[in-house]
Amino acid sequence: QVQLVESGGGLVQAGGSLRLSCAASGRTFRSYAMGWFRQAPGKEREIVAAINRSGGLTYQSDSVKGRFTISRDNAKNTVLLQMNSLKPEDTAVYYCAARYRVDYGLGYEINEYDYWGQGTQVTVSS
């Protein structure tokens, strides 16, 4: 069982930066690939970024590539999402998710993930 708690959301002007943090409970954090998803009002939840168990493999969606960076600290049971050059279209609730894996792959789809946080709101004003 893994519990995930996101923090770091808020209101920022376009062009600004935010860093989201996801704290995971449990002693098996390094057994999980992690992902950040977002859901804007009236839209489906979509993947933003993912990172494998070791942190050596990452993925960013085309919409955030070059602006967002995902990282993890297995010693601190934490995964981060650094968001730079924010745009109004980045406004959404951002969710952290964990997927148990025995290999070092990623997860790209919502239904691949086993545990979810409660979400944190990010609002980017124009």
Side-chain angles (χ1 to χ4, degrees):
Q1 187 81 7
V2 175
Q3 292 185 324
L4 305 172
V5 179
E6 302 98 334
S7 62
L11 173 64
V12 64
Q13 288 188 333
S17 298
L18 282 175
R19 188 177 74 167
L20 303 184
S21 179
C22 175
S25 65
R27 296 176 291 176
T28 59
F29 177 69
R30 62 181 68 244
S31 296
Y32 290 83
M34 302 297 295
W36 283 98
F37 290 75
R38 68 185 180 187
Q39 187 166 19
K43 294 188 176 181
E44 294 185 353
R45 192 171 298 189
E46 62 176 0
I47 189 167
V48 174
I51 190 165
N52 74 343
R53 291 171 51 191
S54 67
L57 180 64
T58 63
Y59 163 83
Q60 292 81 34
S61 68
D62 287 343
S63 61
V64 306
K65 195 171 294 183
R67 301 187 297 122
F68 292 12
T69 302
I70 188 171
S71 62
R72 68 187 293 162
D73 186 337
N74 284 344
K76 296 181 178 179
N77 284 15
T78 301
V79 61
L80 302 175
L81 184 68
Q82 178 66 45
M83 306 187 295
N84 298 328
S85 302
L86 282 160
K87 304 175 181 180
E89 51 263 44
D90 295 318
T91 295
V93 178
Y94 283 71
Y95 298 91
C96 173
R99 175 188 176 181
Y100 180 77
R101 292 204 69 132
V102 296
D103 59 15
Y104 289 89
L106 297 170
Y108 300 95
E109 304 293 335
I110 294 171
N111 60 9
E112 294 181 88
Y113 283 82
D114 304 300
Y115 301 101
W116 292 82
Q118 81 290 350
T120 185
Q121 176 70 46
V122 171
T123 303
V124 184
S125 63
S126 57

